[in-house]
Amino acid sequence: MSDEVERTATPLVDEAVKKAAVCWVSVDGGPAYGLWCLPLDGALLVVTGPGEQSAPGLADAGVAEVTLRGDHGGRIVTWPARVTRLRPGSAEWETAAPLVAAKRLNAPGPAADLVARWAAEGCALTRLSPAGTAVAGADLPAGSLAEQPRETPVVRATRKPFRLHKVRRR
């Protein structure tokens, strides 16, 4: 971990990162995307791209905003993150990619094949490192941040339930 990361990470951020399995990431003030992640050395690793989760703009961003939840399921901290893309063939990739692939739920095939597919298809393995002042506690927004679901091609139309017989009303 670099000296700059050590100076900007608070104990709350450190603890939240260690326990994170899901994070919400926003790039350039855009909508936050819920992403599965893997904590490693005080940072979060996230895979995006073809056949993986979608986070538009994250792979090419320099900074992002990360929100993590606590044990109760609610938001506990939001912090600015330095985004670093790990490139296939680099020492960082060779260390991190197999660890992330091993934790990938419902992976099609062994972890080594998954890492090879990520490299071949141009998937982005990014590190989100704390890089600024975190917002927590009373400084978090008090109101609901709920918003309408975004359009997506994976939504299925809901069908009416099947009825075996006609219900008579008196």
Side-chain angles (χ1 to χ4, degrees), residues 3-168:
D3 290 332
E4 183 177 342
V5 172
E6 288 179 29
R7 284 194 308 269
T8 60
T10 65
L12 176 62
V13 171
D14 287 340
E15 193 62 27
V17 166
K18 286 178 194 174
K19 294 182 176 184
V22 176
C23 62
W24 285 261
V25 179
S26 174
V27 177
D28 292 330
Y33 288 86
L35 306 171
W36 69 269
C37 59
L38 177 74
L40 182 67
D41 296 332
L44 298 174
L45 298 174
V46 175
V47 177
T48 58
E52 299 299 329
Q53 55 199 349
S54 175
L58 180 62
D60 300 320
V63 294
E65 185 175 81
V66 177
T67 299
L68 297 175
R69 66 183 180 182
D71 294 335
H72 57 45
R75 171 198 302 225
I76 60 166
V77 65
T78 298
W79 43 273
R82 183 179 335 104
V83 179
T84 306
R85 185 168 180 176
L86 308 183
R87 302 287 176 180
S90 69
E92 292 176 310
W93 173 278
E94 298 301 325
T95 300
L99 295 173
V100 176
K103 294 293 184 177
R104 164 78 157 72
L105 295 178
N106 303 318
D113 292 350
L114 189 58
V115 170
R117 182 178 67 79
W118 290 343
E121 293 181 3
C123 289
L125 176 58
T126 54
R127 176 188 297 113
L128 304 171
S129 305
T133 304
V135 177
D139 295 333
L140 289 171
S144 172
L145 298 177
E147 56 185 63
Q148 291 294 324
R150 292 181 206 84
E151 292 295 321
T152 177
V154 296
V155 174
R156 295 184 198 169
T158 304
R159 294 177 33 193
K160 290 184 180 182
F162 174 75
R163 283 193 169 169
L164 187 58
H165 63 283
K166 187 174 182 177
V167 177
R168 293 184 190 177

